[in-house]
Protein backbone atom coordinates (compact mmCIF):
# COMPACT_ATOMS: atom_id res chain seq x y z
CA UNK A 1 0.00 0.00 0.00
CA UNK A 2 2.96 2.31 0.53
CA UNK A 3 4.56 1.74 -2.87
CA UNK A 4 3.83 4.47 -5.41
CA UNK A 5 5.48 3.07 -8.52
CA UNK A 6 3.14 3.10 -11.45
CA UNK A 7 0.00 2.96 -9.32
CA UNK A 8 -2.80 5.19 -10.49
CA UNK A 9 -5.28 6.79 -8.13
CA UNK A 10 -7.94 4.26 -9.05
CA UNK A 11 -5.81 1.25 -8.26
CA UNK A 12 -4.20 2.26 -5.00
CA UNK A 13 -7.26 3.81 -3.42
CA UNK A 14 -9.45 0.86 -4.27
CA UNK A 15 -6.80 -1.45 -2.80
CA UNK A 16 -7.13 0.60 0.36
CA UNK A 17 -10.87 0.17 0.67
CA UNK A 18 -10.78 -3.54 -0.15
CA UNK A 19 -7.97 -4.43 2.26
CA UNK A 20 -9.18 -2.54 5.31
CA UNK A 21 -11.55 -4.67 7.39
CA UNK A 22 -14.66 -3.29 9.02
CA UNK A 23 -14.46 -3.51 12.82
CA UNK A 24 -17.81 -4.09 14.48
CA UNK A 25 -18.23 -2.78 18.02
CA UNK A 26 -17.66 -5.39 20.68
CA UNK A 27 -20.59 -6.58 22.70
CA UNK A 28 -19.58 -4.87 25.90
CA UNK A 29 -20.87 -2.23 28.24
CA UNK A 30 -20.27 1.18 26.70
CA UNK A 31 -21.81 4.64 26.78
CA UNK A 32 -24.77 5.99 24.85
CA UNK A 33 -24.80 9.68 24.07
CA UNK A 34 -27.37 11.45 21.89
CA UNK A 35 -28.10 8.33 19.88
CA UNK A 36 -24.48 7.18 19.49
CA UNK A 37 -23.96 3.79 21.12
CA UNK A 38 -20.30 3.95 22.06
CA UNK A 39 -18.68 0.59 22.77
CA UNK A 40 -15.05 -0.39 23.46
CA UNK A 41 -13.20 -0.88 20.17
CA UNK A 42 -12.50 -4.60 19.76
CA UNK A 43 -8.87 -4.20 18.73
CA UNK A 44 -7.71 -1.51 21.18
CA UNK A 45 -6.38 -2.00 24.70
CA UNK A 46 -8.98 -0.97 27.32
CA UNK A 47 -6.44 1.35 28.94
CA UNK A 48 -6.46 3.45 25.76
CA UNK A 49 -10.01 4.66 26.53
CA UNK A 50 -11.05 4.51 22.87
CA UNK A 51 -14.63 3.67 21.91
CA UNK A 52 -16.17 2.85 18.54
CA UNK A 53 -19.63 3.27 17.06
CA UNK A 54 -21.53 3.76 13.84
CA UNK A 55 -24.33 6.09 12.82
CA UNK A 56 -26.77 5.69 9.95
CA UNK A 57 -27.04 8.27 7.16
CA UNK A 58 -28.84 8.42 3.80
CA UNK A 59 -26.97 6.90 0.87
CA UNK A 60 -28.47 9.60 -1.38
CA UNK A 61 -29.35 12.90 0.30
CA UNK A 62 -31.73 13.70 -2.55
CA UNK A 63 -33.72 10.69 -1.27
CA UNK A 64 -33.23 11.01 2.50
CA UNK A 65 -35.92 8.43 3.33
CA UNK A 66 -34.40 5.83 1.02
CA UNK A 67 -31.49 3.44 1.40
CA UNK A 68 -29.16 3.98 4.36
CA UNK A 69 -25.44 3.40 4.92
CA UNK A 70 -23.25 3.39 8.02
CA UNK A 71 -20.50 5.83 9.02
CA UNK A 72 -17.88 4.48 11.41
CA UNK A 73 -16.64 6.54 14.37
CA UNK A 74 -13.94 6.26 17.03
CA UNK A 75 -13.70 8.44 20.13
CA UNK A 76 -10.64 9.01 22.33
CA UNK A 77 -11.68 10.76 25.50
CA UNK A 78 -10.19 13.95 26.90
CA UNK A 79 -7.23 13.37 29.20
CA UNK A 80 -8.88 15.54 31.86
CA UNK A 81 -12.62 14.84 31.55
CA UNK A 82 -13.46 17.08 34.52
CA UNK A 83 -12.28 20.05 32.44
CA UNK A 84 -13.80 18.89 29.17
CA UNK A 85 -14.88 21.65 26.78
CA UNK A 86 -16.30 19.50 24.01
CA UNK A 87 -15.41 17.24 21.10
CA UNK A 88 -13.24 17.76 18.04
CA UNK A 89 -14.20 15.87 14.89
CA UNK A 90 -11.19 15.01 12.72
CA UNK A 91 -10.29 13.55 9.35
CA UNK A 92 -6.68 12.59 8.53
CA UNK A 93 -6.85 13.01 4.75
CA UNK A 94 -7.34 10.88 1.70
CA UNK A 95 -9.82 10.35 0.23
CA UNK A 96 -9.53 6.88 1.62
CA UNK A 97 -7.94 7.79 4.94
CA UNK A 98 -9.47 6.29 8.06
CA UNK A 99 -10.26 8.66 10.91
CA UNK A 100 -11.21 5.64 12.99
CA UNK A 101 -7.80 4.03 12.60
CA UNK A 102 -6.10 7.37 13.19
CA UNK A 103 -7.83 7.92 16.54
CA UNK A 104 -7.37 4.30 17.59
CA UNK A 105 -3.66 4.63 16.82
CA UNK A 106 -3.06 7.73 18.92
CA UNK A 107 -4.16 11.25 19.74
CA UNK A 108 -3.27 13.95 17.21
CA UNK A 109 -4.20 16.61 19.76
CA UNK A 110 -1.58 18.12 22.05
CA UNK A 111 -1.39 20.22 25.20
CA UNK A 112 -4.55 21.72 26.66
CA UNK A 113 -6.57 20.60 23.63
CA UNK A 114 -5.84 16.94 24.40
CA UNK A 115 -6.65 17.62 28.04
CA UNK A 116 -10.00 19.29 27.42
CA UNK A 117 -11.44 17.78 24.24
CA UNK A 118 -12.54 14.36 23.14
CA UNK A 119 -11.31 13.55 19.64
CA UNK A 120 -13.66 11.72 17.27
CA UNK A 121 -12.35 10.33 14.01
CA UNK A 122 -14.72 9.20 11.28
CA UNK A 123 -14.38 6.94 8.27
CA UNK A 124 -15.78 8.75 5.24
CA UNK A 125 -18.41 6.81 3.31
CA UNK A 126 -16.80 4.04 1.32
CA UNK A 127 -13.93 3.42 3.75
CA UNK A 128 -13.05 0.87 6.43
CA UNK A 129 -15.73 0.74 9.17
CA UNK A 130 -18.18 2.74 7.09
CA UNK A 131 -20.14 1.07 4.30
CA UNK A 132 -17.41 0.23 1.81
CA UNK A 133 -16.70 0.74 -1.86
CA UNK A 134 -15.69 -2.71 -3.10
CA UNK A 135 -13.67 -3.57 -6.22
CA UNK A 136 -12.26 -6.77 -7.67
CA UNK A 137 -8.57 -7.37 -7.13
CA UNK A 138 -8.06 -8.51 -10.73
CA UNK A 139 -9.42 -5.24 -12.09
CA UNK A 140 -7.20 -3.25 -9.72
CA UNK A 141 -4.14 -5.18 -10.80
CA UNK A 142 -4.99 -4.59 -14.46
CA UNK A 143 -4.97 -0.82 -13.94
CA UNK A 144 -1.79 -0.92 -11.87
CA UNK A 145 0.02 -3.03 -14.47
CA UNK A 146 -0.40 -0.31 -17.11
CA UNK A 147 0.82 2.56 -14.96
CA UNK A 148 1.64 5.86 -16.65
CA UNK A 149 0.86 5.78 -20.39
CA UNK A 150 3.89 6.05 -22.68
CA UNK A 151 2.10 6.05 -26.05
CA UNK A 152 -1.40 6.01 -27.53
CA UNK A 153 -1.64 2.24 -27.21
CA UNK A 154 -1.01 2.23 -23.45
CA UNK A 155 -3.23 5.31 -23.08
CA UNK A 156 -6.14 3.43 -24.66
CA UNK A 157 -5.33 0.36 -22.58
CA UNK A 158 -5.59 2.47 -19.42
CA UNK A 159 -8.91 3.92 -20.59
CA UNK A 160 -10.25 0.41 -21.06
CA UNK A 161 -8.88 -0.80 -17.72
CA UNK A 162 -10.34 2.18 -15.85
CA UNK A 163 -13.70 1.59 -17.51
CA UNK A 164 -13.65 -2.09 -16.56
CA UNK A 165 -12.67 -1.17 -12.99
CA UNK A 166 -15.56 1.27 -12.72
CA UNK A 167 -18.03 -1.33 -14.00
CA UNK A 168 -16.72 -3.91 -11.54
CA UNK A 169 -16.71 -1.56 -8.53
CA UNK A 170 -20.20 -0.29 -9.34
CA UNK A 171 -21.53 -3.85 -9.60
CA UNK A 172 -19.96 -4.88 -6.30
CA UNK A 173 -20.77 -1.68 -4.40
CA UNK A 174 -24.13 -0.65 -5.76
CA UNK A 175 -25.48 2.88 -5.69
CA UNK A 176 -22.93 4.06 -3.13
CA UNK A 177 -20.20 4.04 -5.80
CA UNK A 178 -21.72 7.14 -7.41
CA UNK A 179 -22.32 8.95 -4.11
CA UNK A 180 -18.89 9.34 -2.48
CA UNK A 181 -18.01 12.91 -3.40
CA UNK A 182 -17.01 15.42 -0.77
CA UNK A 183 -20.47 16.98 -1.02
CA UNK A 184 -21.98 13.83 0.49
CA UNK A 185 -19.21 13.66 3.10
CA UNK A 186 -20.04 17.20 4.23
CA UNK A 187 -23.65 16.18 4.86
CA UNK A 188 -22.42 13.12 6.75
CA UNK A 189 -20.32 15.43 8.94
CA UNK A 190 -23.42 17.44 9.78
CA UNK A 191 -25.22 14.24 10.79
CA UNK A 192 -22.27 13.38 13.04
CA UNK A 193 -22.40 16.85 14.62
CA UNK A 194 -26.07 16.44 15.41
CA UNK A 195 -25.54 12.95 16.82
CA UNK A 196 -22.76 14.19 19.12
CA UNK A 197 -25.27 16.63 20.57
CA UNK A 198 -22.74 19.25 21.67
CA UNK A 199 -23.87 22.23 19.63
CA UNK A 200 -21.47 23.81 17.17
CA UNK A 201 -18.74 21.82 15.47
CA UNK A 202 -15.04 21.77 16.30
CA UNK A 203 -13.15 20.30 13.34
CA UNK A 204 -9.55 19.35 12.59
CA UNK A 205 -8.88 18.40 8.98
CA UNK A 206 -5.58 17.29 7.50
CA UNK A 207 -4.75 17.28 3.81
CA UNK A 208 -7.80 16.08 1.81
CA UNK A 209 -9.72 16.49 5.04
CA UNK A 210 -9.30 20.23 4.59
CA UNK A 211 -11.64 20.06 1.58
CA UNK A 212 -14.21 18.53 3.91
CA UNK A 213 -13.80 21.46 6.26
CA UNK A 214 -13.82 24.06 3.49
CA UNK A 215 -17.02 22.80 1.94
CA UNK A 216 -18.66 22.22 5.33
CA UNK A 217 -17.99 25.88 6.08
CA UNK A 218 -19.70 26.82 2.83
CA UNK A 219 -22.75 24.69 3.60
CA UNK A 220 -23.07 25.09 7.40
CA UNK A 221 -21.09 28.22 8.40
CA UNK A 222 -23.23 29.01 11.44
CA UNK A 223 -22.73 25.51 12.87
CA UNK A 224 -18.99 25.96 13.46
CA UNK A 225 -17.27 26.80 16.75
CA UNK A 226 -13.65 26.28 15.64
CA UNK A 227 -12.02 24.83 12.54
CA UNK A 228 -8.35 24.10 11.81
CA UNK A 229 -7.36 23.04 8.28
CA UNK A 230 -3.79 21.75 7.99
CA UNK A 231 -2.31 21.29 4.49
CA UNK A 232 -5.04 22.67 2.27
CA UNK A 233 -6.54 21.48 -0.97
CA UNK A 234 -7.40 24.06 -3.65
CA UNK A 235 -10.78 23.22 -5.18
CA UNK A 236 -10.65 26.24 -7.47
CA UNK A 237 -7.95 24.86 -9.78
CA UNK A 238 -9.27 25.72 -13.21
CA UNK A 239 -7.38 23.24 -15.36
CA UNK A 240 -5.35 20.07 -15.31
CA UNK A 241 -2.26 22.17 -16.04
CA UNK A 242 -2.91 24.21 -12.89
CA UNK A 243 -2.89 20.98 -10.90
CA UNK A 244 0.19 19.50 -12.57
CA UNK A 245 2.26 22.66 -12.52
CA UNK A 246 1.63 23.59 -8.88
CA UNK A 247 2.41 20.05 -7.75
CA UNK A 248 5.59 19.80 -9.80
CA UNK A 249 6.82 23.29 -8.95
CA UNK A 250 6.94 22.39 -5.25
CA UNK A 251 9.14 19.36 -5.90
CA UNK A 252 11.36 21.37 -8.28
CA UNK A 253 11.97 23.93 -5.52
CA UNK A 254 12.76 21.18 -3.02
CA UNK A 255 15.19 19.62 -5.51
CA UNK A 256 16.97 22.98 -5.72
CA UNK A 257 17.26 23.03 -1.91
CA UNK A 258 18.65 19.48 -1.93
CA UNK A 259 21.17 20.35 -4.65
CA UNK A 260 22.32 23.52 -2.88
CA UNK A 261 22.83 21.63 0.37
CA UNK A 262 24.70 18.80 -1.31
CA UNK A 263 27.01 21.12 -3.21
CA UNK A 264 27.94 22.93 0.02
CA UNK A 265 28.15 19.97 2.43
CA UNK A 266 31.48 18.07 2.32
CA UNK A 267 29.87 14.94 3.76
CA UNK A 268 27.34 14.72 0.92
CA UNK A 269 28.23 11.87 -1.46
CA UNK A 270 27.82 14.27 -4.40
CA UNK A 271 29.87 17.11 -2.90
CA UNK A 272 31.80 18.88 -5.64
CA UNK A 273 29.38 17.68 -8.34
CA UNK A 274 26.73 19.60 -10.25
CA UNK A 275 23.78 17.78 -8.71
CA UNK A 276 21.32 18.87 -11.40
CA UNK A 277 23.67 17.47 -14.06
CA UNK A 278 24.05 14.23 -12.13
CA UNK A 279 20.31 13.76 -11.98
CA UNK A 280 20.04 14.75 -15.64
CA UNK A 281 22.46 11.96 -16.53
CA UNK A 282 20.45 9.49 -14.47
CA UNK A 283 17.23 10.53 -16.22
CA UNK A 284 18.88 10.02 -19.61
CA UNK A 285 20.09 6.56 -18.61
CA UNK A 286 16.64 5.64 -17.30
CA UNK A 287 14.95 6.71 -20.52
CA UNK A 288 17.53 4.77 -22.55
CA UNK A 289 16.89 1.62 -20.50
CA UNK A 290 20.41 1.68 -19.06
CA UNK A 291 19.72 2.44 -15.38
CA UNK A 292 19.44 -0.23 -12.70
CA UNK A 293 18.27 -0.03 -9.11
CA UNK A 294 21.44 -0.21 -6.95
CA UNK A 295 19.61 -2.30 -4.34
CA UNK A 296 17.63 -4.76 -6.42
CA UNK A 297 19.57 -4.76 -9.68
CA UNK A 298 16.27 -4.35 -11.55
CA UNK A 299 16.03 -1.91 -14.49
CA UNK A 300 14.43 1.46 -13.79
CA UNK A 301 12.59 3.74 -16.19
CA UNK A 302 12.12 7.48 -15.65
CA UNK A 303 9.01 7.07 -13.52
CA UNK A 304 10.74 4.48 -11.32
CA UNK A 305 13.58 6.95 -10.76
CA UNK A 306 11.34 9.96 -10.17
CA UNK A 307 8.90 8.24 -7.86
CA UNK A 308 11.09 5.64 -6.16
CA UNK A 309 14.10 7.86 -5.53
CA UNK A 310 13.94 11.54 -6.45
CA UNK A 311 10.79 12.07 -4.39
CA UNK A 312 13.11 11.95 -1.36
CA UNK A 313 14.16 15.55 -2.13
CA UNK A 314 11.02 16.52 -0.19
CA UNK A 315 12.44 15.18 3.08
CA UNK A 316 15.67 16.82 4.31
CA UNK A 317 16.24 13.98 6.76
CA UNK A 318 16.80 11.70 3.73
CA UNK A 319 18.98 13.97 1.57
CA UNK A 320 22.30 12.40 2.51
CA UNK A 321 20.95 8.90 1.80
CA UNK A 322 19.54 9.99 -1.54
CA UNK A 323 22.92 11.41 -2.52
CA UNK A 324 24.55 8.08 -1.65
CA UNK A 325 22.01 6.28 -3.82
CA UNK A 326 22.67 8.60 -6.77
CA UNK A 327 26.44 8.24 -6.45
CA UNK A 328 26.04 4.47 -6.55
CA UNK A 329 23.84 4.69 -9.65
CA UNK A 330 26.34 6.88 -11.47
CA UNK A 331 29.23 4.56 -10.60
CA UNK A 332 27.26 1.37 -11.23
CA UNK A 333 27.84 0.17 -7.67
CA UNK A 334 25.39 -2.18 -5.93
CA UNK A 335 24.13 -1.26 -2.46
CA UNK A 336 22.92 -3.46 0.37
CA UNK A 337 19.62 -2.95 2.14
CA UNK A 338 16.86 -0.69 0.81
CA UNK A 339 16.79 2.89 -0.44
CA UNK A 340 16.27 5.75 2.00
CA UNK A 341 12.90 6.69 0.57
CA UNK A 342 11.55 3.16 0.72
CA UNK A 343 11.89 3.33 4.50
CA UNK A 344 10.20 6.75 4.62
CA UNK A 345 6.47 7.41 4.59
CA UNK A 346 5.69 7.22 0.89
CA UNK A 347 3.08 8.84 -1.28
CA UNK A 348 -0.26 7.14 -1.50
CA UNK A 349 -2.58 8.00 -4.34
CA UNK A 350 -5.95 9.66 -4.09
CA UNK A 351 -9.13 7.64 -3.57
CA UNK A 352 -11.21 6.26 -6.37
CA UNK A 353 -13.91 7.16 -7.31
CA UNK A 354 -14.05 10.17 -4.95
CA UNK A 355 -11.16 11.92 -6.75
CA UNK A 356 -13.00 11.74 -10.06
CA UNK A 357 -16.26 12.99 -8.52
CA UNK A 358 -14.48 15.85 -6.73
CA UNK A 359 -11.95 16.99 -9.34
CA UNK A 360 -12.81 15.21 -12.57
CA UNK A 361 -9.74 16.09 -14.64
CA UNK A 362 -9.78 14.55 -18.11
CA UNK A 363 -7.20 13.96 -20.85
CA UNK A 364 -8.53 13.28 -24.35
CA UNK A 365 -5.65 11.26 -25.80
CA UNK A 366 -1.95 10.56 -25.49
CA UNK A 367 -1.03 13.51 -27.68
CA UNK A 368 -2.55 15.85 -25.10
CA UNK A 369 -0.86 13.99 -22.23
CA UNK A 370 2.50 14.01 -24.01
CA UNK A 371 2.13 17.76 -24.53
CA UNK A 372 1.57 18.24 -20.81
CA UNK A 373 4.65 16.15 -20.04
CA UNK A 374 6.68 18.33 -22.40
CA UNK A 375 5.40 21.49 -20.78
CA UNK A 376 6.34 20.15 -17.34
CA UNK A 377 9.84 19.24 -18.54
CA UNK A 378 10.29 22.75 -19.92
CA UNK A 379 8.92 24.54 -16.86
CA UNK A 380 10.58 22.29 -14.26
CA UNK A 381 13.66 20.88 -16.02
CA UNK A 382 15.19 19.12 -13.04
CA UNK A 383 12.39 16.97 -11.67
CA UNK A 384 9.86 17.09 -14.55
CA UNK A 385 7.47 14.88 -12.59
CA UNK A 386 5.96 14.12 -9.20
CA UNK A 387 3.99 10.98 -8.26
CA UNK A 388 0.92 13.14 -7.72
CA UNK A 389 0.82 13.83 -11.45
CA UNK A 390 -0.41 10.28 -11.98
CA UNK A 391 -3.82 11.55 -10.89
CA UNK A 392 -4.00 13.32 -14.24
CA UNK A 393 -4.92 10.01 -15.84
CA UNK A 394 -6.88 8.51 -12.93
CA UNK A 395 -10.28 9.29 -14.44
CA UNK A 396 -9.69 8.71 -18.17
CA UNK A 397 -12.13 6.17 -19.52
CA UNK A 398 -13.71 5.69 -16.09
CA UNK A 399 -17.11 7.09 -16.99
CA UNK A 400 -17.38 8.56 -13.49
CA UNK A 401 -19.41 11.78 -13.37
CA UNK A 402 -17.70 14.87 -12.00
CA UNK A 403 -20.38 16.00 -9.54
CA UNK A 404 -18.48 18.38 -7.23
CA UNK A 405 -17.81 21.42 -9.40
CA UNK A 406 -14.43 23.10 -8.95
CA UNK A 407 -14.89 26.72 -7.95
CA UNK A 408 -13.68 29.34 -5.50
CA UNK A 409 -14.72 29.05 -1.87
CA UNK A 410 -17.78 31.08 -0.89
CA UNK A 411 -17.93 31.17 2.91
CA UNK A 412 -20.16 33.68 4.68
CA UNK A 413 -21.14 34.03 8.35
CA UNK A 414 -18.57 31.53 9.62
CA UNK A 415 -16.38 32.24 12.67
CA UNK A 416 -12.61 32.70 12.13
CA UNK A 417 -11.10 29.62 10.47
CA UNK A 418 -7.41 28.75 10.88
CA UNK A 419 -5.43 27.49 7.87
CA UNK A 420 -1.96 25.92 8.19
CA UNK A 421 0.51 25.59 5.33
CA UNK A 422 4.03 24.17 5.06
CA UNK A 423 6.22 26.26 2.76
CA UNK A 424 7.85 23.13 1.29
CA UNK A 425 4.78 20.88 1.25
CA UNK A 426 5.03 18.51 -1.73
CA UNK A 427 1.40 17.30 -1.66
CA UNK A 428 -1.02 20.06 -0.71
CA UNK A 429 1.38 22.75 -1.80
CA UNK A 430 1.76 26.04 0.04
CA UNK A 431 0.17 28.05 -2.77
CA UNK A 432 -3.01 26.04 -2.33
CA UNK A 433 -3.20 27.09 1.31
CA UNK A 434 -2.58 30.73 0.40
CA UNK A 435 -5.36 30.57 -2.18
CA UNK A 436 -7.76 29.00 0.30
CA UNK A 437 -6.94 31.58 2.97
CA UNK A 438 -7.59 34.39 0.52
CA UNK A 439 -10.89 32.97 -0.72
CA UNK A 440 -12.19 32.18 2.78
CA UNK A 441 -10.82 35.33 4.46
CA UNK A 442 -9.10 32.91 6.83
CA UNK A 443 -6.25 33.15 9.31
CA UNK A 444 -2.88 31.72 8.30
CA UNK A 445 -0.23 29.83 10.23
CA UNK A 446 2.88 29.24 8.11
CA UNK A 447 5.37 26.50 8.89
CA UNK A 448 8.65 27.32 7.15
CA UNK A 449 9.67 23.68 6.85
CA UNK A 450 9.09 20.53 4.84
CA UNK A 451 6.95 17.38 4.87
CA UNK A 452 3.16 17.40 4.69
CA UNK A 453 0.98 18.82 7.50
CA UNK A 454 2.45 19.83 10.84
CA UNK A 455 0.04 20.14 13.80
CA UNK A 456 0.44 17.42 16.40
CA UNK A 457 3.81 17.36 18.13
CA UNK A 458 6.25 18.57 15.48
CA UNK A 459 6.79 22.13 16.64
CA UNK A 460 5.51 23.97 19.71
CA UNK A 461 5.18 27.14 17.67
CA UNK A 462 2.34 25.66 15.64
CA UNK A 463 0.87 23.53 18.41
CA UNK A 464 0.64 26.35 20.94
CA UNK A 465 -1.21 28.60 18.50
CA UNK A 466 -3.65 25.88 17.47
CA UNK A 467 -4.31 24.87 21.08
CA UNK A 468 -5.01 28.47 22.11
CA UNK A 469 -7.48 28.68 19.24
CA UNK A 470 -9.31 25.44 20.09
CA UNK A 471 -9.45 26.12 23.83
CA UNK A 472 -9.89 29.88 24.07
CA UNK A 473 -10.79 30.77 20.45
CA UNK A 474 -7.68 32.98 20.31
CA UNK A 475 -7.15 33.59 16.59
CA UNK A 476 -3.53 33.62 15.33
CA UNK A 477 -2.58 36.57 13.14
CA UNK A 478 0.29 36.34 10.67
CA UNK A 479 2.16 33.63 12.56
CA UNK A 480 5.20 32.08 10.85
CA UNK A 481 7.00 29.20 12.59
CA UNK A 482 10.68 28.31 11.96
CA UNK A 483 11.74 25.16 10.15
CA UNK A 484 12.71 22.16 12.30
CA UNK A 485 13.46 19.75 9.42
CA UNK A 486 17.18 19.42 8.65
CA UNK A 487 19.48 17.00 6.82
CA UNK A 488 20.87 14.04 8.78
CA UNK A 489 24.41 12.72 8.39
CA UNK A 490 24.89 9.12 9.52
CA UNK A 491 22.17 7.24 11.36
CA UNK A 492 18.64 8.37 10.71
CA UNK A 493 17.15 9.39 14.04
CA UNK A 494 14.49 11.96 13.05
CA UNK A 495 11.73 9.94 11.46
CA UNK A 496 8.53 11.90 11.94
CA UNK A 497 5.39 10.82 10.16
CA UNK A 498 2.78 13.22 8.76
CA UNK A 499 -0.65 12.64 10.28
CA UNK A 500 -2.32 12.33 6.93
CA UNK A 501 -3.08 8.77 5.94
CA UNK A 502 -3.87 9.37 2.34
CA UNK A 503 -1.91 11.18 -0.29
CA UNK A 504 -3.63 14.47 0.38
Amino acid sequence: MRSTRHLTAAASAAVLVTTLLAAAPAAAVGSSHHGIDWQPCPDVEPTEAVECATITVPLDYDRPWGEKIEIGLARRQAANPDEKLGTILMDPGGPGGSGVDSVKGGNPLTGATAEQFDIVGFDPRGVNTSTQVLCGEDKLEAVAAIGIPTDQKTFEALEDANGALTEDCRERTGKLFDHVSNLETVKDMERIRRALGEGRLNFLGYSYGTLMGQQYAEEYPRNIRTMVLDGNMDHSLESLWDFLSTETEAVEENFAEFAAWCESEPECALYGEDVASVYGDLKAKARAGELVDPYSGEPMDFFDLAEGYNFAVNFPQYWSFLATDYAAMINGEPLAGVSALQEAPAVENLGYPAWCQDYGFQVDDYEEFEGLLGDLAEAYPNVEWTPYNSYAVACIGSGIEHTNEREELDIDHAPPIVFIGNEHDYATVYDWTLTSVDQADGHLITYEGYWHTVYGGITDCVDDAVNAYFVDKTVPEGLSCPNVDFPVIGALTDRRNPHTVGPF
Side-chain angles (χ1 to χ4, degrees):
M1 192 173 72
R2 289 291 184 184
S3 176
T4 65
R5 294 185 185 178
H6 293 225
L7 280 179
T8 65
S12 66
V15 167
L16 176 66
V17 298
T18 55
T19 55
L20 291 175
L21 298 177
V29 177
S31 59
S32 182
H33 181 63
H34 294 278
I36 299 180
D37 183 19
W38 294 107
Q39 300 289 339
C41 299
D43 51 353
V44 178
E45 291 294 329
T47 55
E48 288 290 305
V50 181
E51 299 170 303
C52 290
T54 59
I55 65 168
T56 301
V57 301
L59 183 153
D60 182 352
Y61 280 95
D62 288 337
R63 297 173 175 82
W65 304 111
E67 187 176 349
K68 302 296 192 294
I69 61 172
E70 291 189 334
I71 301 298
L73 308 172
R75 177 177 68 174
R76 183 177 290 270
Q77 297 179 21
N80 186 355
D82 292 339
E83 301 293 329
K84 179 182 170 182
L85 293 177
T87 298
I88 296 173
L89 182 68
M90 71 84 66
D91 182 87
S98 170
V100 168
D101 284 352
S102 180
V103 167
K104 288 196 299 185
N107 194 343
L109 306 179
T110 65
T113 305
E115 291 284 324
Q116 297 180 262
F117 285 90
D118 291 350
I119 181 81
V120 170
F122 73 102
D123 284 337
R125 52 175 54 207
V127 176
N128 198 23
T129 63
S130 294
T131 305
Q132 295 180 347
V133 169
L134 299 173
C135 302
E137 186 175 356
D138 58 333
K139 299 298 189 294
L140 299 170
E141 291 175 348
V143 171
I146 298 166
I148 309 300
T150 55
D151 52 29
Q152 183 61 28
K153 182 179 179 180
T154 51
F155 187 92
E156 292 174 0
L158 183 58
E159 286 184 310
D160 293 341
N162 279 344
L165 177 62
T166 294
E167 182 179 354
D168 180 83
C169 298
R170 190 175 277 138
E171 181 178 345
R172 293 173 185 269
T173 304
K175 296 177 183 178
L176 175 62
F177 182 84
D178 294 299
H179 293 277
V180 292
S181 82
N182 199 64
L183 298 177
E184 281 93 1
T185 298
V186 161
K187 292 182 171 63
D188 294 342
M189 290 168 60
E190 174 62 7
R191 293 295 180 108
I192 295 171
R193 183 195 69 82
R194 296 177 193 174
L196 289 171
E198 294 186 353
R200 290 184 296 167
L201 177 74
N202 300 290
F203 181 71
L204 171 62
Y206 293 100
S207 199
Y208 209 86
T210 65
L211 184 60
M212 300 174 188
Q214 293 169 11
Q215 294 196 303
Y216 183 93
E218 289 185 300
E219 187 72 15
Y220 305 104
R222 298 182 189 275
N223 293 351
I224 300 169
R225 176 186 176 270
T226 57
M227 179 173 285
V228 174
L229 306 178
D230 187 357
N232 283 266
M233 299 296 295
D234 179 1
H235 202 237
S236 66
L237 294 167
E238 293 184 3
S239 69
L240 179 55
W241 171 252
D242 291 336
F243 172 75
L244 293 172
S245 62
T246 51
E247 289 285 77
T248 311
E249 181 180 20
V251 182
E252 179 83 0
E253 292 175 353
N254 290 344
F255 180 91
E257 295 290 335
F258 160 68
W261 172 81
C262 216
E263 291 167 7
S264 64
E265 173 53 61
E267 295 194 52
C268 175
L270 298 177
Y271 179 68
E273 302 282 349
D274 183 327
V275 175
S277 295
V278 169
Y279 186 58
D281 291 342
L282 292 175
K283 289 188 296 182
K285 285 187 175 183
R287 286 176 167 133
E290 300 171 355
L291 189 66
V292 298
D293 188 304
Y295 295 94
S296 69
E298 295 294 320
M300 292 194 296
D301 65 15
F302 167 70
F303 296 109
D304 292 324
L305 177 65
E307 299 180 8
Y309 282 90
N310 200 59
F311 198 68
V313 301
N314 299 297
F315 313 101
Q317 290 88 338
Y318 294 91
W319 284 354
S320 66
F321 306 99
L322 177 62
T324 299
D325 292 345
Y326 282 170
M329 291 181 199
I330 288 293
N331 297 324
E333 298 173 351
L335 293 174
V338 296
S339 73
L341 183 59
Q342 288 170 336
E343 290 191 301
V347 172
E348 294 175 350
N349 292 311
L350 278 178
Y352 176 85
W355 168 250
C356 299
Q357 293 178 26
D358 283 341
Y359 278 84
F361 292 125
Q362 292 292 335
V363 184
D364 290 337
D365 51 31
Y366 184 73
E367 182 179 2
E368 181 184 356
F369 185 59
E370 186 177 35
L372 290 166
L373 293 179
D375 291 341
L376 288 173
E378 181 177 354
Y380 312 107
N382 289 313
V383 301
E384 303 184 36
W385 182 260
T386 168
Y388 289 95
N389 291 349
S390 63
Y391 309 138
V393 293
C395 305
I396 64 169
S398 69
I400 296 173
E401 183 180 0
H402 174 211
T403 56
N404 188 359
E405 182 180 354
R406 300 190 307 274
E407 57 189 358
E408 292 188 4
L409 294 174
D410 183 15
I411 300 174
D412 293 317
H413 309 298
I417 298 174
V418 173
F419 295 76
I420 307 174
N422 296 15
E423 285 189 349
H424 295 276
D425 195 324
Y426 54 86
T428 53
V429 300
Y430 186 57
D431 280 349
W432 291 1
T433 293
L434 296 181
T435 297
S436 300
V437 168
D438 182 62
Q439 292 174 1
D441 194 23
H443 300 264
L444 176 65
I445 297 175
T446 294
Y447 170 56
E448 297 166 6
Y450 293 76
W451 293 69
H452 173 48
T453 75
V454 66
Y455 172 71
I458 305 305
T459 168
D460 289 344
C461 179
V462 171
D463 286 4
D464 290 348
V466 170
N467 293 337
Y469 169 72
F470 273 135
V471 173
D472 299 320
K473 297 194 286 188
T474 301
V475 179
E477 299 290 351
L479 178 63
S480 188
C481 294
N483 174 41
V484 297
D485 293 307
F486 300 103
V488 174
I489 303 295
L492 188 60
T493 57
D494 183 356
R495 185 168 289 193
R496 72 176 179 86
N497 292 310
H499 284 112
T500 181
V501 174
F504 288 108

